[in-house]
Amino acid sequence: MSLLDHLNPEQLAAVTLPNQHALILAGAGSGKTRVLTTRIAWLVQTGNVSPMGILAVTFTNKAAREMLTRISAMLPINTRGMWVGTFHGLCNRMLRAHHREAGLPQLFHILDTQDQLAVVKRVLKALNVDEEKFQPKQVQWFINGAKEEGRRAKDVEAYDEFSRRTVELYAAYDEQCQKDGLVDFPELLLRCFELLSRNEVLRAHYQQRFRHILVDEFQDTNRLQYRWLKLLAGQGNVIFAVGDDDQSIYRFRGANVGNMADFEREFKVPNLIRLEQNYRSHGNILNAANALISHNRRRLGKNLWTAAGEGEPVRIYEAQSDGYEAHWIAGEVQSLVGEGYTRGDIAVLYRSNAQSRVIEHALFSAGIPYRVYGGLRFFERQEVKHALAYLRLLANPEDDSAFLRVVNFPPRGIGARSVEQLQDAARMRDASLWRAAAQLTGKAGVSVGTFVRLIEAMRAGTRGIPLPEAVDHVLHASGLLEHYKSEREGADRIENLEELVNAATSFVRDELPSGAAMAAVDATEGAAPEAGVADAADPWLAAFLAHAALESGENQAGEGIEAVQLMTAHSAKGLEFHIVFVSGLEEGLFPHEQSVTEEDGLEEERRLMYVAVTRARTRLYLSFAQTRLLHGQTRYNVASRFLDEIPAEVQKWLTPRGGGVFDEGAWKAAPPPARLAAKAEGRAAGGRGALPFRIGQSVTHPKFGAGVIVSAEGSGADARVQVNFGRQGMKWLQLEYAKLTAA
């Protein structure tokens, strides 16, 4: 069978292009890997180039291995010597071959993230730098960011004393790495780029060798990677770039979607081919995706289609709360399994990692095996375990494992030697670390004593207050929230910590009547404290910690067990499932509230939604909640604008559109702040009875459009309501003049 027999007309045109620069816009599910590997095989088979004259770049080792496997299946050649790999892998290979020219020892060592952080800490210590002011992870983030932009310390502009000092630390770190023969990941690409830039002979050698350069996932390249490709391309080489600007979702990692348009312009690309036939999804799913992404202005443009038929409509569900949404998903999963789908056919996607907790709980409660893809279950996440360790110390200061976990986290100058002295003292006295701390002397005694006083202050600060407030107090007083603000990707960790407050709120509301909670109360002597109030010996705190321990147990499905897949929309890229749930489609959540204030932020959020939608093969569910716990408080939501951007003719609402599922009983069970706002003693204009609207009710306004009432106050002619109008923002409206109508 010919190499070309299995290709559609557009794929065939791409594979057999003449030796000129080409940009292949490969839509989701359009067979881009098939095109890329077949292009390589065709070039070799037709004698255009030898296998050693090809450079193929992708972003993961898994993708590189798959490419080599496919090429081996198409051609009777040994692919082991071919230059097919990731940017970092190929740069490492080049630097190993030319280590002298690159100024590196032959056996230079590559630092992983943790090793790099250790070197940063060593440099800071050698320079007597205050790690409270210049936090190691923040310095690491600064160094990596500069390198990924192609800038050495001498190229970074300092704006003030702090940035000047940070630049000096970057230079000192580079000097230390050079002295020790160490190379971090960003350094691989930067060092290789610098080598090719200054060494004309070497650059000419590789330009003559690699006549054909093929790039996968071109939309994910950063500026330095693009510059590296341009160096290798020279004058006579051919770049065959495959990518999808509509799936560019890694801006936070430095990806620059503009590289595709720049490549087309700078290389005067004569061949732009669109792969638009989709082999994954049914028509209604693709129609939804096409309509959604068409709202992005800065795109090269394409329109997916399929020969598989229209299929089922896109199902949309409006829940009363995030808890209702999660339980509905669990119930729907059970129905789907009853229809004959396997659990492995089903994926639940969400915008933020923190959203997994309530979904995990619902699946666990329903006895549905699940697996968190590309991440840890909620209660297993590092930051959550740190917070729980502090709470465990409040409940039981004798908990040595909790003590050891957080005694120096966030870093507070308690080194390994001090901890060893404390452990020795505890062994000698056959006492807990907490009791031994009081007997510790010297420098170790001072530093450990400071930690003990911190815990005692937190115990005092949480005594007699509601459990969610106690958790929130611990997050702030421990320094965990402040610590993660300095991390490059600390926003996710902060969201998970804030979700722990929500977990406590849900526990107080939903779990206390359960047998486990009441057993904890019955085990104590005397009257139990008020429900949900934390204290040093509070059974409610103990019950919550027991709940967290149970939830972090072996709930996740083991290897070989069919399980529902849970993941963020970012993690889902490159995957596909028969059934996909996209949850939490609310303004401020998806799209994320930060996106509307950032350049290209909203368009990237829409691209992320496009990726989520195009993961589905046969059935797509979109859901949102009228209320969602945020920071331990109930937030009233407006449906995501993305739902409005999907054509009505492909939608099937499973609930009455516009708030028809709102339940008065659920509203009455809302947390006190919501109830108090709703029970404002004010009257409608003119004193004609009670307020005509309730908290959480959907309304419309002639100017601001659809919204949700989140608060109310005042009386008589002064009565007013606060309405969340989504993209129009929050508005206080006086009822006498507002012209609000129930949606």
Side-chain angles (χ1 to χ4, degrees):
M1 183 175 73
S2 168
L3 283 175
L4 311 179
D5 287 347
H6 59 298
L7 303 177
N8 67 36
E10 290 74 27
Q11 292 173 337
L12 178 63
V15 167
T16 58
L17 280 172
N19 293 340
Q20 296 175 313
H21 298 305
L23 178 59
I24 313 301
L25 289 181
S30 63
K32 72 174 180 62
T33 304
R34 171 187 293 181
V35 167
L36 202 59
T37 52
T38 307
R39 170 71 172 177
I40 293 172
W42 183 80
L43 287 171
V44 173
Q45 188 182 69
T46 55
N48 278 274
V49 66
S50 74
M52 298 301 104
I54 288 173
L55 180 76
V57 191
T58 187
F59 274 84
T60 66
N61 290 319
K62 179 182 177 182
R65 288 193 296 269
E66 182 180 354
M67 287 174 65
L68 289 170
T69 299
R70 291 197 188 193
I71 293 168
S72 297
M74 288 186 277
L75 292 175
I77 61 172
N78 185 351
T79 61
R80 291 188 63 182
M82 292 182 68
W83 283 62
V84 177
T86 65
F87 280 98
H88 292 108
L90 295 173
C91 286
N92 174 53
R93 184 170 177 177
M94 202 172 286
L95 291 174
R96 297 285 181 190
H98 307 287
H99 61 91
R100 290 191 185 88
E101 294 90 340
L104 291 169
Q106 184 176 9
L107 300 177
F108 65 82
H109 176 68
I110 299 175
L111 297 170
D112 63 21
T113 302
Q114 291 303 314
D115 289 339
Q116 183 192 22
L117 182 60
V119 175
V120 170
K121 290 180 177 179
R122 183 150 54 97
V123 170
L124 296 181
K125 185 175 181 179
L127 297 175
N128 293 316
V129 174
D130 182 2
E131 291 192 11
E132 292 295 321
K133 186 175 182 181
F134 295 91
Q135 297 181 21
K137 284 193 176 182
Q138 192 170 19
V139 175
Q140 180 186 33
W141 171 81
F142 176 85
I143 292 170
N144 290 346
K147 288 187 177 186
E148 288 167 359
E149 293 173 359
R151 296 186 295 166
R152 291 291 182 191
K154 63 181 175 58
D155 305 316
V156 179
E157 184 178 353
Y159 297 97
D160 52 27
E161 180 60 25
F162 182 83
S163 60
R164 183 191 64 78
R165 185 60 172 152
T166 308
V167 171
E168 289 176 353
L169 295 175
Y170 176 11
Y173 165 82
D174 260 2
E175 185 179 342
Q176 186 67 50
C177 287
Q178 183 65 36
K179 177 182 175 182
D180 295 345
L182 304 174
V183 176
D184 55 50
F185 278 104
E187 180 73 16
L188 286 170
L189 186 62
L190 179 55
R191 185 71 67 108
C192 189
F193 173 77
E194 291 172 339
L195 172 64
L196 293 174
S197 296
R198 68 172 180 264
N199 193 317
E200 187 176 344
V201 173
L202 200 60
R203 183 170 70 251
H205 164 74
Y206 282 108
Q207 287 173 346
Q208 291 170 8
R209 175 172 183 172
F210 298 129
R211 291 298 184 182
H212 287 268
I213 301 172
L214 300 96
V215 189
D216 190 17
E217 304 285 10
F218 194 75
Q219 77 280 351
D220 292 336
T221 54
N222 62 31
R223 297 302 294 178
L224 183 58
Q225 289 164 341
Y226 180 46
R227 290 167 65 192
W228 183 79
L229 290 168
K230 289 199 292 184
L231 270 183
L232 285 172
Q235 297 298 317
N237 299 15
V238 173
I239 292 183
F240 184 89
V242 180
D244 183 2
D245 57 332
D246 291 334
Q247 295 189 76
S248 180
I249 59 173
Y250 296 124
R251 186 165 57 107
F252 64 95
R253 295 181 186 168
N256 181 26
V257 65
N259 285 347
M260 297 186 76
D262 289 348
F263 171 61
E264 184 183 17
R265 183 184 68 257
E266 293 173 7
F267 284 79
K268 298 179 174 59
V269 175
N271 301 301
L272 192 153
I273 294 179
R274 291 174 170 83
L275 303 182
E276 298 174 305
Q277 184 173 359
N278 178 282
Y279 293 92
R280 175 188 302 157
S281 307
H282 287 154
N284 282 330
I285 295 171
L286 297 181
N287 291 337
N290 289 331
L292 177 79
I293 203 64
S294 68
H295 287 78
N296 276 5
R297 293 173 297 174
R298 291 179 290 224
R299 58 190 294 260
L300 297 172
K302 62 186 177 307
N303 205 56
L304 299 178
W305 64 276
T306 181
E310 294 303 297
E312 302 178 17
V314 177
R315 291 164 165 81
I316 302 177
Y317 183 83
E318 179 178 6
Q320 300 163 2
S321 67
D322 49 351
Y324 276 99
E325 179 189 37
H327 285 292
W328 166 75
I329 289 173
E332 200 68 20
V333 167
Q334 289 175 320
S335 297
L336 288 165
V337 172
E339 290 180 29
Y341 291 101
T342 68
R343 290 185 294 268
D345 291 333
I346 303 168
V348 182
L349 312 186
Y350 33 82
R351 174 63 179 83
S352 166
N353 263 312
Q355 291 172 251
S356 78
R357 183 195 63 82
V358 67
I359 299 171
E360 288 183 59
H361 178 68
L363 293 175
F364 172 63
S365 299
I368 300 171
Y370 69 87
R371 188 174 293 113
V372 179
Y373 178 88
L376 297 171
R377 291 170 292 168
F378 179 78
F379 285 106
E380 286 184 339
R381 292 165 192 163
Q382 177 201 79
E383 59 278 10
V384 175
K385 294 180 78 171
H386 285 328
L388 290 173
Y390 278 106
L391 291 170
R392 284 161 56 192
L393 284 177
L394 298 194
N396 176 21
E398 310 282 322
D399 188 334
D400 282 356
S401 62
F403 190 104
L404 288 172
R405 184 176 187 92
V406 294
V407 66
N408 194 41
F409 194 91
R412 50 179 60 91
I414 302 175
R417 180 59 185 149
S418 295
V419 174
E420 287 176 9
Q421 291 176 2
L422 177 62
Q423 289 175 308
D424 289 343
R427 278 194 293 269
M428 288 176 59
R429 294 171 174 81
D430 192 23
S432 68
L433 297 176
W434 179 269
R435 294 183 183 276
Q439 309 299 321
L440 204 60
T441 60
K443 182 181 177 182
V446 172
S447 57
V448 173
T450 301
F451 172 70
V452 169
R453 287 190 294 275
L454 171 67
I455 299 301
E456 289 175 338
M458 282 195 287
R459 294 179 74 197
T462 57
R463 187 170 290 116
I465 67 175
L467 179 62
E469 291 181 23
V471 175
D472 187 62
H473 178 83
V474 167
L475 297 181
H476 286 87
S478 65
L480 286 172
L481 289 175
E482 191 63 33
H483 171 78
Y484 287 120
K485 287 179 182 177
S486 67
E487 287 196 353
R488 186 175 188 177
E489 296 179 17
D492 277 350
R493 296 192 187 276
I494 290 172
E495 286 183 355
N496 284 330
L497 289 175
E498 291 172 341
E499 183 62 23
L500 188 62
V501 181
N502 296 343
T505 303
S506 297
F507 180 79
V508 170
R509 184 188 64 204
D510 303 329
E511 301 293 337
L512 287 180
S514 71
M518 297 314 296
V521 176
D522 293 340
T524 63
E525 295 183 3
E530 180 187 351
V533 173
D535 194 272
D538 177 20
W540 303 114
L541 175 57
F544 176 64
L545 290 171
H547 162 78
L550 290 171
E551 289 278 320
S552 65
E554 293 303 317
N555 303 338
Q556 189 163 228
E559 291 297 323
I561 296 177
E562 282 285 343
V564 176
Q565 302 292 308
L566 272 58
M567 67 192 75
T568 64
H570 280 101
S571 298
K573 188 171 180 291
L575 304 176
E576 57 185 70
F577 304 90
H578 279 292
I579 312 292
V580 169
F581 292 83
V582 185
S583 61
L585 284 169
E586 299 133 29
E587 285 293 309
L589 186 58
F590 201 178
H592 196 278
E593 56 191 355
Q594 294 178 354
S595 68
V596 296
T597 61
E598 299 175 352
E599 184 180 0
D600 191 45
L602 183 57
E603 293 212 350
E604 175 137 340
E605 287 290 298
R606 191 174 283 110
R607 292 194 291 269
L608 184 59
M609 179 64 179
Y610 176 83
V611 167
V613 167
T614 54
R615 298 311 95 194
R617 295 177 187 163
T618 56
R619 190 180 295 184
L620 174 66
Y621 292 90
L622 308 177
S623 63
F624 65 100
Q626 295 175 354
T627 64
R628 186 174 297 273
L629 278 176
L630 188 69
H631 315 308
Q633 298 293 323
T634 300
R635 183 170 78 173
Y636 297 88
N637 304 310
V638 173
S640 170
R641 69 189 72 195
F642 297 153
L643 293 173
D644 294 333
E645 294 172 359
I646 294 174
E649 57 268 23
V650 306
Q651 298 181 7
K652 177 183 179 181
W653 282 73
L654 303 180
T655 51
R657 187 167 188 171
V661 299
F662 193 91
D663 182 86
E664 189 72 20
W667 171 71
K668 289 178 179 176
R675 293 204 306 269
L676 290 174
K679 289 167 64 178
E681 294 179 358
R683 304 288 180 177
R688 294 183 296 273
L691 286 171
F693 302 107
R694 63 174 180 264
I695 303 299
Q697 184 173 2
S698 297
V699 293
T700 57
H701 186 274
K703 179 179 179 181
F704 303 122
V708 174
I709 295 177
V710 299
S711 185
E713 66 180 28
S715 61
D718 294 327
R720 64 178 191 155
V721 291
Q722 187 181 33
V723 185
N724 182 353
F725 287 107
R727 67 199 77 175
Q728 298 292 337
M730 302 281 281
K731 310 287 183 184
W732 276 102
L733 301 173
Q734 197 165 352
L735 283 179
E736 185 171 5
Y737 308 107
K739 297 182 180 178
L740 284 176
T741 56

